[in-house]
């Protein structure tokens, strides 16, 4: 069986020529004459005009008084193509983060919107700083007023970090494996934990299902960690971002994993 | 000749999408492995190509870390899966527009938020209806049908239409409709205030929430729990009441909800 997805000719027609893509990207900003296109792109007059003819034939551009206009639908096609380009660039540039790692727990929605992570940085440990990933997160957690997190493994410092946020009346939501509940949550000072739970400031979702994703969402930063294909958590790589989109992305992912439990 | 530097820059800029999208063999292989791992024979049948061609394509994809061979089956790597998912999104975005080309091409679509234009795939199973010369109000009647069974409605209303308002008021008074949110411009709000009946039954009604926005509204969007509908303006600025896009799937509703929240703020 082959599925019904098929690249149509128009996608291939546009993607095939860098010159056409460049022309379209210029016309997307505003209509231009051939001469203006030559000046902004450094492509020769003959290449520009022959490609404009092809684009006109296929109904992507129209000519009015010497100026070429990109058709509204072609504008959308182009933006979608660039959106795809961005996602391929993103996947490629963080190749060693995704590659040989388990991504089963990423939702379809989060993969389709992977571009929201485009301002991310990949934090890697080095032989001189083997705790770099942990320390980066720790720093964010100390500064943060609230926390949403999926912790698939236990770090001995987490109970204290959570306690600090709760002390300042912050909100904490945590998804963790059931067998970690006592070591993580019961380690938090009872005098802080109990009132926080009663007030709804501390919400814990313990699951017996497998968690193969590490996610934290602090006030201004989200971070994502993955398991390797051999089943062990990769402590050496962490994707981290402070953009608004990435936080929304992390929040959506957190919510849908929470709902599945 | 375009100089070498320009050429190289262009090649570099677009090389990733070109690699995937311009080779029918590579893209078909990736798509064929998307649902589940495939062995060589299955791939040969999927693509109707000889083994040598398929193996050559697979080798290329293996070099790029998009495909791996586990026992006798070929499967996508994590990178390959991320890429395939986004390629399918691209294809579906494209075909969602192509399914209703006339609807999108006839109208002013600058009012649709950028982010939602990138998620047109959510509308792939939506369809548009058209009024005909023998049935001029087909779209309007269909709209009234749709809203008549709703308990709750959210509407971006870019026009002052007494016809629409009267039907909405009737539904409210029958107590069928329990809650309605209307996103309107200041201009429309002013016009509603002038009309005594509308003021009483819309503005002074607890079941109606009016959200007045400063934005220029050029789309008529309605959604409830089980449908969404969209009508647009012509490119010359006139409202078109003859064509309406209707969607009933959860993806259609998701798209409408997101557009609505952009305008509602």
């Amino acid at each position: 069986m082959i599925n019904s997805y098929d690249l149509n000719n128009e996608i291939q027609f546009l993607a095939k020529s860098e010159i056409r893509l460049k022309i379209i990207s210029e016309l997307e900003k505003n209509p231009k004459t051939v001469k203006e296109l030559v000046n902004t792109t450094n492509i020769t007059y003959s290449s520009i005009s022959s490609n404009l003819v092809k684009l006109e034939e296929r109904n992507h551009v129209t000519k009015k008084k010497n100026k070429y206009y990109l058709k509204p639908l072609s504008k959308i096609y182009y933006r979608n193509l660039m959106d795809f380009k961005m996602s391929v660039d993103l996947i490629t540039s963080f190749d060693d983060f995704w590659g040989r790692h388990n991504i089963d727990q990423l939702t379809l929605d989060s993969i389709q919107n992977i571009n929201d992570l485009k301002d991310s940085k990949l934090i890697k440990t080095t032989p001189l700083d083997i705790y770099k990933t942990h320390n980066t997160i720790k720093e964010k957690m100390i500064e943060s007023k609230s926390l949403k997190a999926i912790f698939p493994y236990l770090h001995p410092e987490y109970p204290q970090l959570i306690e600090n946020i709760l002390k300042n009346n912050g909100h904490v939501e945590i998804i963790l494996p059931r067998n970690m509940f006592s070591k993580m949550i019961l380690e938090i000072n009872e005098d802080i934990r109990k009132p926080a739970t009663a007030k709804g400031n501390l919400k814990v979702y313990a699951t017996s299902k497998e968690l193969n994703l590490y996610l934290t969402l602090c006030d201004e930063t989200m971070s994502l960690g993955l398991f390797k294909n051999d089943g062990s958590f990769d402590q050496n790589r962490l994707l981290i971002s402070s953009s608004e989109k990435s936080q929304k992305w992390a929040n959506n992912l957190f919510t849908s994993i929470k709902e599945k439990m | 000749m375009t100089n070498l530097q320009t050429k190289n820059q262009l090649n570099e800029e677009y090389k990733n999408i070109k690699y995937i999208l311009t080779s029918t063999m590579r893209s078909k292989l990736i798509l064929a492995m998307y649902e589940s791992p495939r062995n060589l024979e299955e791939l040969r049948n999927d693509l109707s190509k000889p083994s040598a061609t398929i193996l050559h394509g697979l080798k290329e994809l293996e070099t790029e870390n998009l495909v791996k061979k586990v026992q006798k089956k070929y499967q996508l790597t994590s990178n390959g899966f991320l890429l395939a998912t986004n390629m399918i999104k691209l294809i579906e975005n494209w075909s969602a527009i192509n399914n209703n080309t006339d609807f999108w091409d006839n109208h002013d679509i600058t009012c649709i938020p950028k982010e939602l234009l990138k998620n047109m795939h959510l509308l792939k199973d939506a369809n548009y209806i058209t009024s005909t010369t023998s049935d001029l109000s087909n779209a309007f009647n269909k709209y009234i049908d749709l809203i008549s069974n709703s308990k709750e409605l959210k509407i971006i209303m870019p026009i002052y239409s007494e016809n629409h308002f009267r039907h909405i008021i009737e539904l409210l008074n029958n107590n069928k409709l329990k809650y309605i949110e209307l996103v309107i411009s200041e201009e429309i709000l002013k016009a509603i205030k002038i009309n005594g009946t509308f003021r009483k039954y819309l503005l002074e009604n607890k079941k109606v929430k009016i959200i007045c926005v400063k934005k220029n509204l050029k789309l008529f969007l309605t959604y409830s729990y089980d449908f969404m509908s969209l009508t647009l303006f012509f490119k010359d600025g006139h409202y078109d009441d003859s064509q309406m896009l209707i969607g009933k799937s959860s993806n259609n509703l998701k798209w409408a909800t997101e557009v609505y929240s952009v305008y509602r703020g």
Side-chain angles (χ1 to χ4, degrees):
Chain A
M1 174 218 81
I2 186 140
N3 41 39
S4 53
Y5 310 120
D6 215 348
L7 281 174
N8 68 43
N9 295 334
E10 274 327 284
I11 298 182
Q12 292 201 330
F13 167 77
L14 291 179
K16 217 164 234 166
S17 152
E18 295 91 351
I19 295 182
R20 284 196 286 271
L21 287 170
K22 190 71 191 170
I23 292 174
I24 293 177
S25 81
E26 286 302 322
L27 294 182
E28 201 237 348
K29 294 176 205 156
N30 52 349
K32 287 187 176 70
T33 62
V34 181
K35 206 171 167 215
E36 286 167 334
L37 283 169
V38 171
N39 289 341
T40 45
T41 62
N42 278 327
I43 300 169
T44 57
Y45 193 93
S46 60
S47 306
I48 296 266
S49 53
S50 68
N51 277 294
L52 278 171
V53 171
K54 285 182 195 156
L55 286 167
E56 208 176 357
E57 275 169 10
R58 293 205 180 219
N59 217 4
H60 290 296
V61 302
T62 46
K63 189 181 177 184
K64 272 181 232 157
K65 288 185 192 163
N66 283 331
K67 282 207 178 198
Y68 284 88
Y69 291 75
L70 187 61
K71 293 260 194 147
L73 281 190
S74 301
K75 215 176 241 190
I76 306 180
Y77 291 145
Y78 172 74
R79 283 196 190 143
N80 279 309
L81 204 51
M82 289 304 104
D83 197 48
F84 177 67
K85 172 188 179 313
M86 255 165 61
S87 55
V88 181
D89 290 348
L90 184 101
I91 297 162
T92 316
S93 61
F94 296 127
D95 180 53
D96 59 341
F97 179 73
W98 312 113
R100 283 174 289 280
H101 287 74
N102 182 339
I103 53 164
D104 291 352
Q105 229 149 24
L106 292 180
T107 57
L108 179 64
D109 197 62
S110 65
I111 297 177
Q112 287 176 337
N113 291 302
I114 203 160
N115 282 343
D116 292 345
L117 300 179
K118 79 173 155 63
D119 296 318
S120 302
K121 262 192 231 145
L122 184 59
I123 309 274
K124 291 189 212 179
T125 54
T126 63
L128 293 177
D129 189 358
I130 58 166
Y131 297 116
K132 193 171 172 190
T133 47
H134 173 71
N135 287 336
T136 310
I137 300 239
K138 186 178 160 187
E139 213 175 279
K140 301 293 174 196
M141 275 165 65
I142 290 172
E143 292 165 2
S144 192
K145 287 198 189 68
S146 67
L147 173 71
K148 282 185 186 175
I150 301 173
F151 289 137
Y153 69 89
L154 177 79
H155 190 283
E157 287 188 308
Y158 286 162
Q160 186 61 50
L161 288 164
I162 296 170
E163 193 178 302
N164 288 342
I165 297 175
L166 293 175
K167 249 188 226 163
N168 296 321
N169 241 334
H171 287 256
V172 176
E173 272 189 76
I174 290 178
I175 299 173
L176 46 63
R178 183 152 289 146
N179 59 15
M180 268 169 47
F181 186 85
S182 60
K183 279 190 183 138
M184 175 98 78
I185 304 302
L186 299 181
E187 285 299 308
I188 303 169
N189 184 342
E190 202 175 326
D191 296 337
I192 292 164
R193 174 167 45 91
K194 288 205 163 155
T197 310
K199 268 196 285 181
N201 282 1
L202 174 64
K203 290 182 184 148
V204 181
Y205 311 93
T207 176
S208 49
K209 283 186 197 157
E210 202 184 335
L211 288 174
N212 46 34
L213 187 96
Y214 175 96
L215 185 77
T216 64
L217 182 59
C218 295
D219 290 351
E220 272 157 19
T221 312
M222 76 98 216
S223 71
L224 176 70
L226 296 175
F227 281 70
K228 292 186 261 190
N229 279 345
D230 65 15
S232 65
F233 182 70
D234 184 355
Q235 308 226 16
N236 301 317
R237 292 182 183 83
L238 194 67
L239 204 63
I240 186 162
S241 169
S242 299
S243 75
E244 211 172 292
K245 278 190 177 172
S246 72
Q247 288 176 69
K248 206 177 142 199
W249 183 91
N251 196 34
N252 287 341
L253 180 58
F254 182 87
T255 310
S256 50
I257 290 178
K258 187 172 85 183
E259 279 166 2
K260 270 185 211 151
M261 299 187 348
Chain B
M1 276 296 286
T2 304
N3 75 44
L4 201 61
Q5 197 195 346
T6 310
K7 231 176 199 171
N8 287 342
Q9 271 171 8
L10 283 175
N11 283 342
E12 187 59 32
E13 192 176 348
Y14 296 112
K15 73 168 188 226
N16 282 337
I17 51 165
K18 217 179 149 179
Y19 178 80
I20 292 302
L21 295 181
T22 55
S23 155
T24 310
M25 172 56 55
R26 283 193 287 264
S27 57
K28 280 198 166 153
L29 277 171
I30 290 174
L31 293 172
M33 282 176 275
Y34 182 68
E35 302 287 347
S36 60
R38 315 288 280 165
N39 64 32
L40 182 61
E41 197 186 329
E42 289 166 323
L43 289 171
R44 218 168 43 210
N45 292 334
D46 289 343
L47 278 78
S48 318
K49 290 276 188 234
S51 298
T53 318
I54 304 244
L55 284 169
H56 180 73
L58 287 169
K59 192 100 229 140
E60 286 181 332
L61 293 171
E62 275 182 284
T63 317
E64 293 292 318
N65 279 331
L66 296 171
V67 166
K68 64 184 172 188
K69 191 176 175 186
V70 178
Q71 281 143 9
K72 287 200 163 164
K73 295 217 172 193
Y74 292 91
Q75 61 182 67
L76 295 175
T77 61
S78 300
N79 288 12
F81 185 77
L82 294 174
L83 186 124
T85 308
N86 281 285
M87 181 152 76
I88 290 168
K89 178 184 161 188
L90 172 73
I91 294 168
E92 290 192 339
N93 273 335
W94 213 287
S95 62
I97 299 166
N98 290 346
N99 285 349
N100 297 301
T101 317
D102 288 338
F103 180 75
W104 300 114
D105 205 20
N106 282 341
H107 298 108
D108 174 10
I109 46 176
T110 55
C111 57
I112 296 171
K114 258 190 191 173
E115 283 307 306
L116 278 309
L117 285 177
K118 288 182 196 158
N119 283 303
M120 297 296 272
H121 63 98
L122 296 173
L123 293 180
K124 72 173 173 193
D125 50 355
N127 290 302
Y128 77 95
I129 55 162
T130 304
S131 301
T132 55
T133 39
S134 58
D135 186 3
L136 270 174
S137 42
N138 182 28
F140 179 77
N141 291 339
K142 185 74 199 165
Y143 180 75
I144 299 303
D145 274 357
L146 283 171
I147 63 170
S148 294
N149 294 312
S150 303
K151 284 192 179 139
E152 207 180 301
L153 286 172
K154 296 195 174 163
I155 306 179
I156 300 175
M157 180 85 95
I159 48 163
Y160 179 81
S161 160
E162 300 201 346
N163 238 345
H164 283 92
F165 289 138
R166 264 202 297 274
H167 273 96
I168 290 170
I169 290 172
E170 199 188 308
L171 293 171
L172 285 165
N173 290 347
N174 288 343
N175 221 8
K176 251 194 163 168
L177 185 58
K178 308 281 186 201
Y179 179 73
I180 177 168
E181 246 179 56
L182 278 174
V183 174
I184 53 175
S185 66
E186 287 170 327
E187 205 183 0
I188 306 284
L189 180 61
K190 248 185 230 165
I192 294 177
K193 273 182 187 161
I194 292 169
N195 182 310
T197 318
F198 293 165
R199 190 176 60 224
K200 181 175 171 203
Y201 289 104
L202 291 173
L203 301 185
E204 295 159 10
N205 189 336
K206 267 191 279 179
K207 288 187 264 183
V208 184
K209 184 170 169 103
I210 303 276
I211 295 147
C212 184
V213 295
K214 290 230 160 69
K215 293 177 190 117
N216 187 15
L217 301 177
K218 285 281 180 202
L219 77 171
F220 187 167
L221 177 84
T222 305
Y223 75 95
S224 185
Y225 301 123
D226 57 354
F227 81 95
M228 58 81 61
S229 72
L230 176 72
T231 45
L232 295 170
F233 287 66
F234 288 118
K235 289 170 190 162
D236 66 7
H238 292 286
Y239 175 67
D240 176 18
D241 66 353
S242 70
Q243 287 193 334
M244 178 166 66
L245 189 80
I246 301 174
K248 297 190 168 171
S249 72
S250 61
N251 275 340
N252 302 159
L253 293 179
K254 189 175 170 198
W255 189 88
T257 311
E258 287 182 26
V259 173
Y260 185 81
S261 71
V262 170
Y263 276 93
R264 188 191 193 277

